[in-house]
Structure formats: structure tokens, C-alpha cells
Amino acid sequence: MTVARGVWVLGEQRNGRIHPVSYELLAWGRALADDLHVYLECVMVGTGITAAAKSLIAHGADRVRCLEHSELLTFRVDPYARIVESLVREHQPEILLAAATTMGRTLMPVLAAHLHTGLTADCTGLSIDPNERLLLQTRPAIGGNVLATIKTPEHRPQMATVHPKARRPLAADPSRVGEIVVETIDESLLGSRVLRLGFEEDLTMASSLQDAELIVAGGRGLRTAKRFSDLFEIAAHLGGVVGASRCAVDLGWASHAHQVGLSGKSVSPTTYIALGISGSPNHLAGMSSAERVIAINSDADAPIFQVADVGLVADLADLLPRWLDRLRARKRRDGQGGLGG
Ligand SMILES: Cc1cc2nc3c(=O)[nH]c(=O)nc-3n(C[C@H](O)[C@H](O)[C@H](O)COP(=O)(O)OP(=O)(O)OC[C@H]3O[C@@H](n4cnc5c(N)ncnc54)[C@H](O)[C@@H]3O)c2cc1C
């Protein structure tokens, strides 16, 4: 049997520009490659990427493999899968990571099936078992009540997807040295049964949620739709946007575009204010890379307090109207919000 070697991440490009999620993947991959003492490689499929490949090295890659062709500008699963599969078969990486984006979620299951190996989707944690050198793939399971750690002991590569924004990229180090390999593409792999008719950008607020520096998020603990709707005014005072737990979305208080978590958006704001959110693993999966978490909950034992930098045990039915009054008063007085004291 060939010995599998190296950690690979599957970078992404949009219209020939490297997508930021590629740098996040490199941060995940770098930690694993360092633990295994192996190379970290980034595979880029698309067009116009070789010129920008140096930035991938600056962000942690030891080698970048560029697969360029005008036919590969936009993602179509059949040629992408054939091309990556043939590269994986040739070089036998031991680990292959991708982002849980539309591309990663579509491509990775197809690749895993073709390569007869396992895939753990939507991991919230990845590490290396020091004894067996196996990839430990952690993700919420059984309704989010447990964190399951999954291994792929018998098949290679060990494959996993991770949520975008679940980890911050490493700081760029332009002095890092690496190799850029321009791969030759076998034209017979380019055919596709998919005809691309066009592209419509998602203009919902989902993207502003992912780019926001401050998120005011509400959960079932707000108790009423009216109280949840107050979050929009609070967020406006603070210059932030509104996030929601899945329970709040299921109750009809917010649209799915606001949902943060495993089956919603992953966010990485400077400040995340969690109001009446218990902090289930499925919710934490979407906001664990926030720089600062402020939690308000009436239950001192709520799990959200375990990840909070600042925690307040309080009844939101009582606190929210008073907070809003202070924000309004401050705005009348100073013309600006602040956190309202
Ligand atoms: C496959 C799957 C995917 C999922 N994906 C997601 C996801 O993407 N995002 C997500 O959020 N969830 C997701 N969930 C659901 C998740 O497991 C939890 O059920 C959900 O996050 C709980 O939402 P919550 O914190 O608003 O409600 P609860 O867990 O009910 O928590 C409410 C909190 O409010 C507090 N509270 C109550 N009254 C007050 C008050 N008056 N003042 C202050 N605090 C109060 C309570 O102490 C409690 O901690 C998923 C579940 C599954 C099975």
C-alpha cells in the first residue's frame, strides 16, 4: 500500500480572485501539518490563480498546486471532481480539507465516494491523535447534544469540511518560502453535463451578517416576537446587525438569513452579544471565532457562559426595555449610542 503523505486544503477562487476562505483553510491545515511534521499543500482550481499563489504561501502553504483552465473559471462539480480526484490519486495526501461552502459541500461528497473514503462534514474542531497520527474530526451530533469525534482509520485521504469563518487566517508572512506548481490538465477531464446559464448574487442580509463587526443575537429566552424585534433597534444604535438562534427562527421571529450556527451562518465579529441563547454546540459552531462574547441569560448555568468573556445573569424581560431606553436617551443627548452603559 502507498503511504499517504501531507495535508491538503482545497482553496477557492471567485472570478480568478482567491476567496478569503482559502486563507482560513490554511490556518486549519497549518496546525495539522505542524503536528504531523508534513507539508501543507493548497490545491487551487480555476483561472488566474497562479499569479496570486504567493499570498497562499505567505498565509501558511508550503506548496500550491495550480490547476488553471478557462473552462474552470466557475465551479461545476463534474470537471472539478475528476481533476482533483486524479491529483489525489497521484500524490496520495493523508488529509484533504475543504470549506463547507457551496463548492465544498458539493464537491467533497462526490470525491469521497469516488475515492472510497470517509468524509466528516461541518467540523467544529480538527486535531491529530498523537499516538495513531489520525485526524480527529469533531462536530455536533445527536441533535447538537453531544460533540462527536470521528476518525477514518482505514481509508485515505481523511476528509473533512469546516465552516467558513470558524477560524481566523494566520497573519501573512511575505518572507515565507514555498513552491508553486502549475499542473498540466488532461483536457479529457474537462467535460461537463452541467450547463451554466448565469449567476445571481444573494443580496439578502446574510452576507452583511458574515461581514459584521458587531452582532446582537437573540434566542428563545427573549420570549416574545416583540422583544426580538427590539433587537433591530438595539443593533441600529450600536452599529451592528441582528443574528438569531435556530429556535428564534423556528418561532418566526427572524428569517433564516439571520440564523447563526451549524445549519445557519458562521460569523466572526469583534463582538457577539448573545441574548437569551442557551449556547448549544449547534449554535456555538457558528460563532466560536468571535473575538469577544457578551452573554445575557437568566440561567447562571447556561452553557453560553462557558464561552462568554462577559456574562450577565439577568431577566431580559426586565433588562431589555431599560437598555433600550438608555440607548434612546443617549442618542437624544449625544447623537450616538455606545453600549448604553
Ligand atoms: C441538525 C441541527 C442543526 C442545528 N443548527 C442550529 C443552528 O444553526 N443554530 C442554532 O442556533 N441552533 C441550531 N440547532 C438547534 C440547537 O441545537 C438548539 O436547539 C438551539 O440553538 C437553541 O436555541 P436557543 O438558545 O434560542 O433556545 P434554548 O436552548 O431554549 O435557550 C433559551 C435560553 O434563554 C434563557 N432564558 C429564558 N428566559 C429568559 C429570560 N427571561 N431572560 C434571559 N434569558 C432567558 C434560558 O435560560 C436558555 O438558556 C440545530 C439543531 C440540529 C438538530
Side-chain angles (χ1 to χ4, degrees), residues 30-317:
R30 187 69 265 162
L32 303 175
D34 286 346
D35 279 356
L36 290 166
H37 303 291
V38 296
Y39 259 39
L40 172 62
E41 306 200 14
C42 180
V43 176
M44 292 294 307
V45 185
T47 53
I49 42 195
T50 309
K54 274 184 85 172
S55 72
L56 297 164
I57 291 170
H59 280 91
D62 298 311
R63 184 180 289 132
V64 182
R65 294 185 185 275
C66 300
L67 295 125
E68 294 218 45
H69 196 285
S70 55
E71 291 282 311
L72 298 171
L73 177 62
T74 49
F75 171 65
R76 282 170 306 155
V77 70
D78 32 3
Y80 269 56
R82 280 194 293 268
I83 284 167
V84 177
E85 181 189 342
S86 86
L87 206 65
V88 167
R89 287 193 188 282
E90 187 183 343
H91 298 282
Q92 306 277 331
E94 52 197 299
I95 292 173
L96 177 60
L97 307 180
T101 52
T102 304
M103 181 183 116
R105 283 187 165 149
T106 312
L107 182 58
M108 291 290 269
V110 175
L111 275 173
H114 287 188
L115 294 163
H116 299 289
T117 187
L119 165 67
T120 307
D122 287 329
C123 291
T124 53
L126 295 173
S127 59
I128 299 294
D129 178 327
N131 301 318
E132 298 179 298
R133 286 175 59 89
L134 288 174
L135 178 66
L136 302 176
Q137 306 152 48
T138 303
R139 58 153 295 150
I142 317 181
N145 294 319
V146 297
L147 283 173
T149 297
I150 296 162
K151 298 188 210 175
T152 312
E154 290 177 9
H155 300 274
R156 293 293 177 272
Q158 301 159 86
M159 292 177 57
T161 61
V162 288
H163 253 216
K165 301 269 184 188
R167 189 167 188 147
R168 288 174 184 266
L170 302 171
D173 174 2
S175 68
R176 282 197 85 250
V177 178
E179 189 187 356
I180 298 171
V181 181
V182 180
E183 300 283 350
T184 313
I185 294 183
D186 176 352
E187 301 253 341
S188 71
L189 302 178
L190 290 172
S192 176
R193 290 171 299 167
V194 178
L195 180 63
R196 185 174 181 273
L197 297 176
F199 178 77
E200 268 182 47
E201 198 175 347
D202 178 3
L203 295 173
T204 63
M205 60 74 62
S207 52
S208 66
L209 186 67
Q210 289 191 289
D211 296 336
E213 288 302 325
L214 188 147
I215 294 175
V216 182
R220 199 206 308 254
L222 287 165
R223 301 281 179 94
T224 66
K226 160 73 182 74
R227 224 169 275 139
F228 190 96
S229 71
D230 286 343
L231 299 193
F232 289 91
E233 189 179 342
I234 291 178
H237 280 291
L238 303 180
V241 300
V242 173
S245 73
R246 178 154 142 183
C247 278
V249 171
D250 289 347
L251 286 162
W253 298 345
S255 71
H256 183 259
H258 293 268
Q259 186 178 316
V260 173
L262 191 72
S263 50
K265 298 283 171 299
S266 284
V267 296
S268 191
T270 309
T271 305
Y272 189 86
I273 305 176
L275 303 171
I277 293 177
S278 58
S280 76
N282 286 320
H283 188 80
L284 301 184
M287 44 66 76
S288 55
S289 68
E291 259 177 46
R292 184 170 62 147
V293 177
I294 301 173
I296 304 178
N297 196 302
S298 55
D299 175 7
D301 295 323
I304 192 75
F305 288 131
Q306 287 166 22
V307 298
D309 302 285
V310 180
L312 182 62
V313 179
D315 182 346
L316 283 160

